[in-house]
Amino acid sequence: MSEQVSEEVITEVEDGVLIVTINRPEAKNAMTKAASEAIAAAMDRLDAEDDLRVGILTGAGGTFCSGMDLKGFLRGESPSVPGRGFGGVVQAPPAKPLIAAVEGYALAGGLELMIACDLVVANAGAKFGIPEAKRGLVAAAGGVMMLPDQIPERVAMELALTGDFIDAKRAYELGMINTVTEGSALEGAKELAAKIAANGPLAVRVSKQIMKESRGWPMDERYDRQGKLIAPVFVSEDAREGAAAFAEKRAPNWKGK
């Protein structure tokens, strides 16, 4: 395992997984400009380094993220990165899979960080909400736009207009999260990441790309557009290696090409 520590964000590498931890537990991991910039840099690293297969985003001290740092907001600071958005990720997530590991609260911008991730593992005691309206604000970092794409629209509307929280059981029932753990959400996320990292990296990346982009494709163009993206995967060295490994009853040795 390797580790890099900045003042507000810790990054670690473990078995091809980049673990990014928001490290402001004294402030419930409220997002600052510095933390956003550090997360953006970590996302760039995730996509740039071939040995990294999956990312995990989590928070220190038993909280995922309580949203924007309001003290910074009052000073005129924006916890966003140009081109990347709030938290360095909501506007432009990485091409590789990103898992949120949620303990405690994922609120406001914290929920928006979470739903910008591809998969979510949460502890049974976690709470979720976009309470911005209670402060005279709008969940503008994707909450009011992205949440209705991920859960029923009327439920998303209720969360946005009331600012109420829901628990992990309800979030799971709505399909907002993938897995509820009784123990560490991070350990659960590592288990999920290991399953993804064991698969062909080209296939994983393109599968994510198609699932994200195809919703906006015209129906009569979908298979043509998909075909252009998957063609390089099907003629790749990894595709041949996957077939050979299956025939030879062994684990594949992926090269990512």
Side-chain angles (χ1 to χ4, degrees), residues 21 57 86 161 175 206-207 220:
T21 304
L57 181 62
F86 178 85
L161 301 188
V206 172
S207 293
D220 60 349

Side-chain angles (χ1 to χ4, degrees), residues 239-250:
R240 295 184 63 82
E241 169 62 12
F246 177 79
E248 296 165 13
K249 298 181 180 180
R250 60 173 174 81

Side-chain angles (χ1 to χ4, degrees), residues 31-34 36-37 67-69 73 77-81 85-88:
M31 187 58 55
T32 64
K33 182 175 177 60
S36 293
E37 290 171 346
M68 175 174 62
D69 184 78
F73 171 72
E77 178 183 293
S78 173
S80 297
V81 175
F86 178 85

Side-chain angles (χ1 to χ4, degrees), residues 124-142:
K127 303 289 185 185
F128 310 87
I130 43 175
E132 280 87 342
K134 292 179 181 290
R135 300 290 177 262
L137 301 171
V138 175

Side-chain angles (χ1 to χ4, degrees), residues 217-225:
W217 294 347
M219 287 297 293
D220 60 349
E221 296 179 14
R222 282 187 161 193
Y223 277 95
D224 287 340
R225 293 196 184 196

Side-chain angles (χ1 to χ4, degrees), residues 106-130:
L107 302 179
L111 183 85
E112 292 165 315
L113 277 180
M114 185 192 90
I115 64 175
C117 297
D118 302 299
L119 301 160
V120 182
V121 177
N123 177 268
K127 303 289 185 185
F128 310 87
I130 43 175

